[in-house]
């Protein structure tokens, strides 16, 4: 039997125009599961990034720290409830390039995998409601036997996305031949190095530098215009 080809995508800033992690934290604060001061801190870290007082990676790390700090003592049911509120409202806020590439590769019977740093609960909800990929990886936080989060991260795929993809390909009998990969930050470099057709999409400066060094395709989408650079 011929091995199935794989397409690997990041989600935040690659398929989804915004950040699932941000939206989940914001909703948990609206629901008063997280304290209201969290929304102020969210606005602060987001504004710092917009006003060039920090990098996108600083912004991403701040979201991880904020979530880990306040998730302790929260139940799995509360997080899933928030995810179910967020996704129907946000799901269609996607990039044209990603949508068209996914449609093209679906017609060619690719196996789809997403690897995200956002929490698994909202990544899975996004997949159920919109993506319909074969599998998705998100960050997993430790829970007690009663389903209450401790605040400790058990699995963070963004720390080594390349290893996550290699293991997944091996365990599922897939092939990296003619494979695609799409990501927007340097954390995606691990799987972009593995695939046949790596695409740095709206790359941050670190990924842009890596893509230039490696000779990867770079694509930018601005408003309703998609073009290549380099």
């Amino acid at each position: 039997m011929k091995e199935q080809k794989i397409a690997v995508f990041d989600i935040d800033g690659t398929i989804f125009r915004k950040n699932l992690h941000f939206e989940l934290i914001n909703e948990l604060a609206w629901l008063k599961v997280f304290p209201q001061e969290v929304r102020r801190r969210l606005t602060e870290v987001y504004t710092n990034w917009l006003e060039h007082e920090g990098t996108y990676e600083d912004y991403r790390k701040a979201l991880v720290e904020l979530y880990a700090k306040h998730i302790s003592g929260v139940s799995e049911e509360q997080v899933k409830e928030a995810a179910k509120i967020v996704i129907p409202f946000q799901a269609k806020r996607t990039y044209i390039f990603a949508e068209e590439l996914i449609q093209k590769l679906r017609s060619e019977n690719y196996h789809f995998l997403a690897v995200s740093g956002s929490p698994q609960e909202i990544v899975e909800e996004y997949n159920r409601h919109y993506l319909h990929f074969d599998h998705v990886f998100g960050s997993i936080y430790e829970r007690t036997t009663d389903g209450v989060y401790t605040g400790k991260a058990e699995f963070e795929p963004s720390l080594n996305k390349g290893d996550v993809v290699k293991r997944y390909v091996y365990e599922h009998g897939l092939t990296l031949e003619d494979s695609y990969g799409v990501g927007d930050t340097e954390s995606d470099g691990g799987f972009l190095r593995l695939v046949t057709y790596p695409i740095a999409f709206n790359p941050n400066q670190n990924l842009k530098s890596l893509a230039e060094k490696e000779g990867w395709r770079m694509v930018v989408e601005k408003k309703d215009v998609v073009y290549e650079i380099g």
Side-chain angles (χ1 to χ4, degrees), residues 95-106:
Y95 285 103
I96 296 168
F97 177 79
E99 284 190 351
E100 292 183 346
L101 181 59
I102 291 168
Q103 185 177 6
K104 171 184 179 293
L105 298 179
R106 281 198 199 283

Side-chain angles (χ1 to χ4, degrees), residues 27-212:
E27 188 61 37
L28 285 165
W30 273 113
L31 293 173
K32 299 183 180 180
V33 175
F34 282 2
Q36 294 303 294
E37 67 185 57
V38 168
R39 296 194 70 247
R40 179 193 60 77
R41 178 59 181 152
L42 266 184
T43 301
E44 182 180 287
V45 299
Y46 183 63
T47 301
N48 286 345
W49 172 54
L50 288 181
E51 296 180 353
H52 309 292
E53 294 181 5
T55 65
Y56 183 82
E57 187 62 14
D58 293 333
Y59 165 62
R60 189 193 68 78
K61 287 179 179 178
L63 293 180
V64 172
E65 291 170 2
L66 193 60
Y67 187 78
K69 178 180 179 181
H70 293 285
I71 198 64
S72 179
V74 173
S75 72
E76 181 182 10
E77 289 75 15
Q78 288 173 304
V79 173
K80 288 184 174 180
E81 177 189 356
K84 287 178 180 177
I85 294 171
V86 168
I87 294 305
F89 182 74
Q90 301 281 352
K92 293 185 178 180
R93 299 182 177 187
T94 57
Y95 285 103
I96 296 168
F97 177 79
E99 284 190 351
E100 292 183 346
L101 181 59
I102 291 168
Q103 185 177 6
K104 171 184 179 293
L105 298 179
R106 281 198 199 283
S107 71
E108 298 174 13
N109 195 37
Y110 271 74
H111 186 99
F112 284 88
L113 175 68
V115 187
S116 174
S118 289
Q120 183 73 17
E121 293 80 3
I122 196 160
V123 170
E124 286 184 346
E125 188 63 28
Y126 189 54
N127 191 48
R128 277 193 295 270
H129 191 89
Y130 179 77
L131 284 182
H132 310 299
F133 276 15
D134 296 285
H135 194 78
V136 292
F137 285 104
S139 294
I140 297 174
Y141 289 81
E142 180 183 73
R143 299 189 304 271
T144 66
T145 55
D146 295 329
V148 175
Y149 295 97
T150 67
K152 179 182 178 182
E154 285 188 331
F155 173 61
E156 296 178 273
S158 59
L159 297 181
N160 201 327
K161 291 187 177 185
D163 282 353
V164 172
V165 171
K166 279 191 288 187
R167 176 173 292 185
Y168 184 85
V169 167
Y170 173 77
E171 290 178 349
H172 291 80
L174 303 168
T175 179
L176 286 166
E177 181 181 352
D178 291 331
S179 54
Y180 280 78
V182 188
D184 69 322
T185 67
E186 63 271 24
S187 67
D188 303 314
F191 72 77
L192 292 175
R193 287 190 178 95
L194 299 175
V195 299
T196 307
Y197 304 111
I199 302 170
F201 178 73
N202 285 353
N204 69 352
Q205 184 58 53
N206 288 342
L207 182 59
K208 181 177 181 290
S209 297
L210 180 59
E212 288 171 339

